[in-house]
Amino acid sequence: MPCYNEDDALDHFWATITPHLDALGVQWDIVFVNDGSSDATLLKLVQLHRADHRAKVVDLTRNFGKEAAMTAGLDHASGDMVVVMDVDLQDPPELLVKMVELWRQGYDVVVARRVSRLDDTQLKRVSAGNFYRVFNRISPSKIPADVGDFRLMDKRVVAALRALPERVRFMKGLFAWVGYPTAVVDYERPVRQRGMTKFNYWRLWNFALDGITSFSTLPLRIWSYLGLFVAFIAFIYGVIIIGRTLILGIDVPGYASLLAAILFLGGMQLVGLGIIGEYLGRIYSETKHRPIYLTGGLYGFAPDEGEQK
């Protein structure tokens, strides 16, 4: 459970989810990851741990982002099956019974898929749909549309995810990349009951860029083909100009068209450099080999468990 400034939601979440987990008839615990919250989230998490040791807490030294927080949770989870979900209860705990049942039938991964996005704005619905279409066209690892982070995974899937060394992490893509037999459970996503969403359109845009550049080199290839096409058009246009000059003589140059062509090609070059820069930035991040996250405290774990990855 990644947590960032969720002190308003934690008590309600704990009171809601524990009866559902007890009804499963299994031993369970919850690994909460405090992702550098600036409110009373850590204090409430520690109180939950002291009241019930099945609540375990991984406290990160600062806000590393949800992808790193999920990685920290998976690193510290030790069950035969692991569920990733949020504390805002938009991931309904009622689905856990069906997900565990499918796991017992032999599925290594059980994902929850939203059947509608009526609670989202029109802009978010359109942008999300376009992202899934674009990503699945250009990436060999296909992401099921309208499937978020809410999923159940067998311990061998978690072990495979732990073995992936990326620093710039797009977890939806990593979940899809590892594969394994997967079942889908459809559900109606309820509205958030406590707290505020931490994502805005700018963060979602950057999130989409991370996903595309992490799992496909097609944007780079497109600019190679586009450069060849522009060079071909320039060659044809040069032949036409030479022919006109030889036949009709020298004409007065068109400064407006020349300026428009220079600005257009200059803009294309800058966009191409920007795309190359996105990939170089990710290579730069990977070569530094910095930890994905650092932990400032562990509650409910053995003292010798690692503090960083």
Side-chain angles (χ1 to χ4, degrees), residues 293-308:
Y293 61 85
L294 297 172
T295 60
L298 299 172
Y299 302 85
F301 299 93
D304 59 346
E305 293 197 36
E307 295 188 353
Q308 68 180 35

Side-chain angles (χ1 to χ4, degrees), residues 14-306:
W14 183 261
T16 302
I17 198 171
T18 48
H20 292 283
L21 293 173
D22 290 333
L24 294 176
V26 298
Q27 286 186 318
W28 60 267
D29 55 38
I30 298 180
V31 179
F32 293 98
V33 182
N34 178 43
D35 188 22
S37 300
S38 58
D39 60 3
T41 296
L42 178 59
L43 176 61
K44 286 195 173 182
L45 289 176
V46 173
Q47 290 173 347
L48 281 177
H49 166 68
R50 290 172 178 169
D52 191 331
H53 287 296
R54 293 176 298 182
K56 300 182 178 182
V57 184
V58 178
D59 180 35
L60 304 187
T61 57
R62 63 171 178 83
N63 178 241
F64 286 89
K66 186 178 180 181
E67 310 300 287
M70 282 192 288
T71 300
L74 293 174
D75 287 342
H76 290 84
S78 59
D80 292 328
M81 50 182 163
V82 177
V83 176
V84 178
M85 63 188 302
D86 294 331
V87 300
D88 55 17
L89 292 177
Q90 287 189 287
D91 300 333
E94 295 84 1
L95 291 183
L96 292 174
V97 173
K98 180 64 175 177
M99 297 171 87
V100 171
E101 178 184 336
L102 289 169
W103 173 77
R104 285 173 172 156
Q105 292 176 13
Y107 290 100
D108 290 313
V109 181
V110 183
V111 298
R113 179 174 60 194
R114 299 170 61 175
V115 297
S116 69
R117 285 181 170 267
L118 297 179
D119 56 322
D120 289 339
T121 63
Q122 179 67 21
L123 177 60
K124 188 173 182 180
R125 288 198 296 269
V126 171
S127 59
N130 288 332
F131 168 74
Y132 284 116
R133 282 190 290 272
V134 170
F135 185 93
N136 288 333
R137 280 182 179 272
I138 67 177
S139 172
S141 302
K142 309 302 181 185
I143 298 178
D146 298 320
V147 170
D149 299 318
F150 183 29
R151 65 190 62 222
L152 179 148
M153 294 170 288
D154 185 83
K155 62 181 179 181
R156 66 173 182 159
V157 180
V158 176
L161 290 167
R162 288 173 180 167
L164 301 179
E166 287 101 315
R167 267 68 179 172
V168 181
R169 301 179 74 79
F170 178 66
M171 294 303 295
K172 288 185 178 66
L174 296 180
F175 290 146
W177 186 87
V178 296
Y180 293 96
T182 301
V184 178
V185 177
D186 291 328
Y187 75 106
E188 290 280 355
R189 187 175 176 86
V191 298
R192 187 182 177 101
Q193 299 187 26
R194 296 288 192 281
M196 298 285 292
T197 180
K198 310 307 184 295
F199 279 94
N200 52 42
Y201 288 113
W202 179 247
R203 291 187 66 184
L204 289 172
W205 166 254
N206 288 321
F207 186 61
L209 282 180
D210 284 340
I212 291 173
T213 53
S214 295
F215 284 87
S216 176
T217 58
L218 184 61
L220 292 173
R221 190 170 301 170
I222 287 175
W223 282 97
S224 298
Y225 291 130
L226 187 59
L228 289 173
F229 175 75
V230 172
F232 175 75
I233 294 298
F235 175 77
I236 297 299
Y237 184 67
V239 171
I240 293 173
I241 292 298
I242 292 173
R244 285 185 59 189
T245 303
L246 293 175
I247 297 171
L248 302 176
I250 299 176
D251 195 6
V252 177
Y255 293 106
S257 59
L258 181 62
L259 180 62
I262 291 174
L263 291 176
F264 172 72
L265 293 176
M268 287 182 56
Q269 290 173 344
L270 291 175
V271 172
L273 287 174
I275 292 177
I276 295 172
E278 290 287 337
Y279 284 92
L280 286 176
R282 277 145 186 79
I283 294 172
Y284 178 62
S285 296
E286 296 295 336
T287 56
K288 288 186 290 187
H289 299 293
R290 289 178 181 172
I292 299 171
Y293 61 85
L294 297 172
T295 60
L298 299 172
Y299 302 85
F301 299 93
D304 59 346
E305 293 197 36

